[in-house]
Amino acid sequence: LTPTKRDDRGRKMRYALKEAGFTELLPLSLTSKTVLEKSGVNVRQTVTIENPLGEELGTLHSHTLPALLEHAARNVLESANGLKTFHWGHVFSKTIPEHPEVTILCVSPRGTEPKLANLPLLWVKAAVAHLCAEVGTKAHITQEEASLPAHPGRSGKILVDGTEVGTVYEVHPEVLGTFGLPSRTAAATIDLSKLLSVSSKVRVPEKLPAFPPVTYDETL
């Protein structure tokens, strides 16, 4: 038997985010238009369920950020070191085909103002770079204005080999206010179908030295 070819890049990216200190959340693919509107997501093209179990589960996810914001709103007070989470799932829309998407969220501890070296946006950018490197690609981030739920002046595009695969941004203050989250909360959303369509470069390790390095040599 010839086993089917497997693409293990998804597993590598998940492990890369966990290595960077992020925890994966596994929410349902169902939500409500109310939560999407609170998150600043456009609900005009959302896909609704004809026979939902309840009003809060009547809409398919059109973005992977709202579930992270809901989780952060419930848990930010319980975490002394802030929250670093990600959600990997499929998103649905009437105009765009179903595709996998991942959003990374970094929330600083509530009641504290993060210093420059610990800005959530820098943590998220580093996680994106690490994630792309693990699958043999290199991410370039260019500053560009974005719409809700992103802060228009603190956002940028993620480019891989000239292909736009996602956005890095600080969450808009209006959205943070609706969930009671600290300012400067940052996120990155990546269209995995676009990222995985970019050919990965082969990572060639450097040749090992023939002899181990000598740090100290003593002759008696």
Side-chain angles (χ1 to χ4, degrees), residues 52-64:
L53 296 175
E55 184 179 350
E56 69 280 2
L57 299 174
T59 306
L60 288 172
H61 270 303
S62 59
H63 202 295
T64 47

Side-chain angles (χ1 to χ4, degrees), residues 20-24 79 81-86 104-107 123:
F22 288 81
T23 301
E24 182 175 7
S79 177
N81 299 319
L83 295 170
K84 296 168 70 177
T85 56
F86 72 95
I104 308 165
L105 183 71
C106 186
V107 185
W123 282 100

Side-chain angles (χ1 to χ4, degrees), residues 126-203:
V128 170
H130 183 46
L131 178 149
C132 292
E134 280 298 306
V135 293
T137 59
K138 187 174 182 180
H140 298 276
I141 298 176
T142 60
Q143 186 175 359
E144 187 148 343
E145 288 190 6
S147 57
L148 284 172
H151 190 297
R154 296 173 182 169
S155 59
K157 290 183 178 180
I158 305 172
L159 302 176
V160 175
D161 284 349
T163 301
E164 182 183 346
V165 300
T167 310
V168 173
Y169 53 93
E170 285 191 357
V171 182
H172 198 284
E174 292 181 3
V175 176
L176 296 177
T178 60
F179 287 94
L181 295 177
S183 61
R184 310 308 295 267
T185 294
T189 301
I190 300 175
D191 185 334
L192 293 169
S193 62
K194 293 182 179 179
L195 177 58
L196 295 177
S197 67
V198 179
S199 59
S200 300
K201 295 180 176 59
V202 178
R203 301 177 68 186

Side-chain angles (χ1 to χ4, degrees), residues 15-168:
Y15 285 169
L17 290 174
K18 293 175 183 178
E19 289 169 2
F22 288 81
T23 301
E24 182 175 7
L25 303 183
L26 300 172
L28 294 175
S29 295
L30 299 173
T31 184
S32 67
K33 288 188 176 181
T34 302
V35 172
L36 294 177
E37 288 176 342
K38 284 177 58 179
S39 305
V41 177
N42 188 353
V43 299
R44 295 178 182 177
Q45 302 300 328
T46 54
V47 179
T48 56
I49 305 298
E50 292 184 356
N51 56 339
L53 296 175
E55 184 179 350
E56 69 280 2
L57 299 174
T59 306
L60 288 172
H61 270 303
S62 59
H63 202 295
T64 47
L65 175 66
L68 296 177
L69 294 176
E70 278 193 301
H71 173 270
R74 294 192 302 266
N75 294 277
V76 68
L77 292 178
E78 306 297 329
S79 177
N81 299 319
L83 295 170
K84 296 168 70 177
T85 56
F86 72 95
H87 174 204
W88 182 300
H90 282 238
V91 292
F92 307 85
S93 173
K94 293 179 180 178
T95 56
I96 303 174
E98 173 192 349
H99 62 275
E101 179 182 276
V102 63
T103 293
I104 308 165
L105 183 71
C106 186
V107 185
S108 58
R110 193 169 183 179
T112 62
E113 186 67 26
K115 297 181 180 179
L116 180 60
N118 292 320
L119 280 178
L121 186 62
L122 298 182
W123 282 100
V124 170
K125 288 174 64 178
V128 170
H130 183 46
L131 178 149
C132 292
E134 280 298 306
V135 293
T137 59
K138 187 174 182 180
H140 298 276
I141 298 176
T142 60
Q143 186 175 359
E144 187 148 343
E145 288 190 6
S147 57
L148 284 172
H151 190 297
R154 296 173 182 169
S155 59
K157 290 183 178 180
I158 305 172
L159 302 176
V160 175
D161 284 349
T163 301
E164 182 183 346
V165 300
T167 310
V168 173

